[in-house]
Amino acid sequence: MNCRQADIIIIGSGLAGLMVAEMLSPHKNVIVITKSSMKHSNSMMAQGGIAAAVDRDDNWSDHFFDTVVAGGFHNVEEVTKKLVKKGPILIDKLIELGVPFDKNEHGDFALGQEGAHGRRRILHSGGDATGKALVECLLKRVLKKVSIIEYEMAIDLILDDNGNCIGVNTRNTEGISFCNYANHTILATGGVGQLYPITSNDESVNGDGMAMAYRSGAELTDLEFIQFHPTMLAKDGMAYGLVSEAVRGEGAKLITGTGQRLMDDVHELKELAPRDIVAREIHRALERNEQLFLDITSIQDFETHFPTITSLCKSSSVDLVKGLIPIAPGAHFIMGGVCTDQYGQTTVPRLYAVGEVAHTGVHGANRLASNSLLEAIVFANEVAQNIMSKLDRPLFKKAIKVQKHRLNFELPTIEEIQHMMMTNVGIIRSQESLEKAVDWFSRYKDIVDHNHLLELKIEEKIICNMLTIGYLIATSALLRTESRGGHYRSDYPVTKPDQWYKKQIIRSLNRTEIKRADQECEQRKEGIVS
Ligand code: SIN
């Protein structure tokens, strides 16, 4: 088999992977491997920006509070604090690297508002094209120092006899396989959006990294928490792309076909309530066969503020003069993933995970808007520092046995998997629907457990990974007998935030530097939380 060797192999070319590459490449030999083009990733498509407490009137504790309220108090406290505290430092780093964040006429950051944020806190670049600005800036830098191998899919991780990860097997679109050996292997493969028929995710994002980590014995957690973005541009059951929450932040209203405001009696934050609440309300209305629109008529200069969404509307024949964008919720983000510590280390030695594929615990049961690009940069920095602090040990390569394993049954289609997930493990689940899904996925249990099915074609491997992740999500959802954040069951009520935990989080903020925030939290908690 063809072999490559590097100090570091990064799988995935989104923001998290590129940021680690940027930070390690001056010191290490780094290879990035990506399944499609380096220009295709969820990061590249991210319209929303980066949340960070950079305004002089903002502080990390307010950002922390909004993050844990949106997260259903399921967040890992210490790591979440690291996220919000380090956010502004990493924003400075991005500026140093050349990211042009949007400014207002006074030369201050033009901060946007999004759902469940207590204030304007979102930095953008290029209006609604923040992800593109970030990825392009990093690619320009990284391409000078790092080899990026495109159109090559990671098949399975390679472990040595002591259980250390020593690289990854890949296969390119011509069917040629490679063994890629490295001292440190980093998963930056994104989430699972393509498991659902309507999704904001790039078509390459179908849970490969998580499935591969699972097969290597890594621990995964919280997979039942799936965030559905409330507003995908959708017509006749087809999705055409995301309509950023920033549009609601600028005043767009959710209305029914008869002009009624949807969120009026649902939540005091109305359109800017946490995403799970808005998405569920839209889902229920669509089930009642109502039509739903985002009314953007109150937004001045829509086309200037939102160039990406404007061209999306134009290409899908939505008349911007009427100002009504047809919408439906779509799978957007998975809060769970491959368990890591706060330095990105998974439970498999020398294997790291960063970005959406990782479960750092910062998102709890439901991610706060624009915290994902933030997570990518903050924990990319942690992974890079962590690896730099380690001594490189000699790498003992292991011969890879190509198993001549053949499937003795037919695989389902991607559409069948998506239908199974949306109908039974979607926005609203129940014991009955989840048992149905687990039962269906169990037919393919052999695939879930098998490693190194190297004989498979890439398209078949993708389906196997989707079956693995579908099975794991459905099983986790069945096991969680409560409703919380992105996991809503019609047979269990929403768990009220545990009073002790709530208190503990608020108490832990009680230092002089944030005394004001502490008092505010106390005042707000009953109103917002309970
Ligand atoms: C959006 O722009 O609405 C998406 C941003 C995010 O998911 O954080």
Side-chain angles (χ1 to χ4, degrees):
M1 199 181 296
N2 303 291
C3 285
R4 302 188 189 106
Q5 185 164 343
D7 298 327
I8 314 287
I9 286 182
I10 300 171
I11 311 166
S13 61
L15 179 63
L18 292 177
M19 191 75 179
V20 182
E22 162 66 27
M23 289 175 158
L24 286 178
S25 53
H27 320 280
K28 305 273 180 191
N29 168 245
V30 179
I31 296 180
V32 174
I33 303 177
T34 186
K35 185 168 131 190
S36 61
S37 140
M38 63 179 98
K39 300 223 161 132
H40 280 151
S41 62
N42 277 354
S43 307
M44 192 74 171
M45 301 197 304
Q47 295 175 1
I50 308 190
V54 292
D55 191 76
R56 62 182 75 84
D57 296 328
D58 200 359
N59 62 58
W60 66 262
S61 58
D62 285 357
H63 188 183
F64 173 79
F65 184 82
D66 292 343
T67 301
V68 296
V69 171
F73 289 86
H74 190 67
N75 314 58
V76 177
E77 185 184 332
E78 196 189 344
V79 193
T80 310
K81 282 184 184 161
K82 175 178 265 187
L83 173 82
V84 293
K85 282 183 177 177
K86 291 208 167 177
I89 303 168
L90 269 298
I91 294 292
D92 284 345
K93 177 78 190 164
L94 288 178
I95 294 168
E96 189 190 310
L97 297 179
V99 176
F101 286 110
D102 297 345
K103 301 258 177 85
N104 62 22
E105 64 277 19
H106 309 295
D108 299 323
F109 290 124
L111 297 174
Q113 173 79 58
E114 288 186 16
H117 282 275
R119 57 173 298 122
R120 286 186 174 265
R121 182 181 286 138
I122 323 294
L123 294 119
H124 288 97
S125 185
D128 58 3
T130 310
K132 184 165 178 284
L134 289 166
V135 171
E136 283 179 348
C137 169
L138 286 173
L139 269 180
K140 207 160 129 198
R141 297 178 62 91
V142 162
L143 277 170
K144 294 181 194 145
K145 315 173 262 193
V146 169
S147 347
I148 302 190
I149 299 166
E150 298 178 283
Y151 300 103
E152 201 166 299
M153 179 171 167
I155 301 293
D156 266 307
L157 296 162
I158 309 169
L159 302 190
D160 70 11
D161 294 337
N162 299 319
N164 297 304
C165 180
I166 53 167
V168 62
N169 291 317
T170 53
R171 177 175 282 204
N172 69 17
T173 41
E174 282 148 36
I176 303 170
S177 297
F178 296 83
C179 266
N180 305 275
Y181 293 104
N183 271 308
H184 306 279
T185 305
I186 302 166
L187 293 172
T189 46
V192 303
Q194 288 296 337
L195 266 91
Y196 292 88
I198 295 191
T199 176
S200 60
N201 287 198
D202 186 76
E203 62 186 7
S204 60
V205 180
N206 40 27
D208 300 322
M210 288 185 202
M212 216 164 46
Y214 177 75
R215 288 192 294 272
S216 76
E219 206 172 295
L220 280 79
T221 194
D222 280 357
L223 297 178
E224 63 277 27
F225 296 116
I226 309 273
Q227 182 175 85
F228 286 80
H229 195 288
T231 54
M232 296 287 302
L233 195 164
K235 281 166 68 181
D236 308 321
M238 288 276 292
Y240 294 87
L242 187 76
V243 183
S244 173
E245 195 155 288
V247 174
R248 277 175 280 138
E250 293 308 317
K253 310 279 182 289
L254 282 165
I255 59 165
T256 64
T258 54
Q260 303 299 308
R261 286 273 302 268
L262 184 74
M263 295 302 293
D264 260 2
D265 298 322
V266 180
H267 195 279
E268 60 181 2
L269 294 175
K270 302 191 191 298
E271 279 80 4
L272 292 178
R275 279 186 189 162
D276 58 314
I277 296 173
V278 184
R280 260 193 318 274
E281 215 44 44
I282 297 174
H283 176 75
R284 288 192 183 109
L286 291 173
E287 297 256 282
R288 294 191 298 268
N289 284 328
E290 297 201 47
Q291 282 183 301
L292 277 175
F293 299 95
L294 205 48
D295 177 349
I296 57 166
T297 47
S298 64
I299 303 179
Q300 305 286 309
D301 297 330
F302 185 87
E303 303 197 10
T304 320
H305 281 311
F306 301 109
T308 310
I309 301 167
T310 299
S311 65
L312 208 63
C313 288
K314 287 186 177 157
S315 63
S316 53
S317 311
V318 171
D319 183 359
L320 278 170
V321 179
K322 283 195 186 142
L324 294 181
I325 306 179
I327 52 94
H332 186 54
F333 192 88
I334 182 162
M335 274 62 74
V338 183
C339 294
T340 68
D341 65 12
Q342 55 177 301
Y343 309 105
Q345 174 67 60
T346 71
T347 53
V348 173
R350 300 201 201 192
L351 176 68
Y352 309 81
V354 64
E356 191 174 346
V357 66
H359 173 274
T360 55
V362 297
H363 304 306
N366 182 35
R367 175 174 65 80
L368 182 67
S370 286
N371 267 357
S372 56
L373 296 180
L374 180 68
E375 180 193 30
I377 54 169
V378 168
F379 291 94
N381 182 51
E382 296 300 311
V383 170
Q385 304 299 327
N386 182 11
I387 290 177
M388 285 306 296
S389 71
K390 291 189 175 166
L391 288 177
D392 279 344
R393 284 183 283 164
L395 188 67
F396 297 105
K397 294 182 195 164
K398 184 182 167 182
I400 302 300
K401 285 191 216 100
V402 179
Q403 291 186 15
K404 298 283 173 206
H405 184 89
R406 286 211 170 275
L407 291 174
N408 51 6
F409 52 83
E410 212 172 300
L411 289 171
T413 63
I414 288 184
E415 290 72 26
E416 282 171 317
I417 298 174
Q418 290 173 333
H419 178 73
M420 180 53 56
M421 289 299 286
M422 193 63 210
T423 319
N424 299 299
V425 202
I427 297 175
I428 299 181
R429 303 124 186 222
S430 67
Q431 174 96 9
E432 197 190 345
S433 75
L434 292 170
E435 277 174 357
K436 204 162 155 189
V438 171
D439 193 45
W440 188 80
F441 281 110
S442 297
R443 293 188 214 160
Y444 305 100
K445 189 76 176 57
D446 241 16
I447 285 168
V448 174
D449 293 336
H450 257 289
N451 204 353
H452 295 304
L453 295 171
L454 290 178
E455 286 239 314
L456 296 180
K457 294 188 199 128
I458 283 188
E459 310 82 72
E460 292 172 326
K461 187 71 194 176
I462 288 172
I463 292 179
C464 290
N465 284 342
M466 290 174 78
L467 287 170
T468 301
I469 295 305
Y471 172 80
L472 295 176
I473 295 174
T475 311
S476 312
L478 187 59
L479 288 173
R480 183 169 289 281
T481 50
E482 64 167 350
S483 289
R484 192 188 280 239
H487 171 66
Y488 185 87
R489 291 183 53 154
S490 55
D491 46 353
Y492 285 94
V494 175
T495 305
K496 290 259 181 258
D498 174 79
Q499 293 300 313
W500 180 87
Y501 180 45
K502 185 166 67 175
K503 242 188 153 120
Q504 186 67 14
I505 284 209
I506 290 163
R507 282 287 152 264
S508 69
L509 292 171
N510 195 6
R511 302 214 187 106
T512 34
E513 91 252 34
I514 50 154
K515 209 156 181 194
R516 182 182 62 76
D518 193 29
Q519 284 160 356
E520 274 179 27
C521 285
E522 289 291 345
Q523 283 160 10
R524 282 182 304 174
K525 69 180 177 185
E526 291 316 326
I528 299 177
V529 173
S530 54

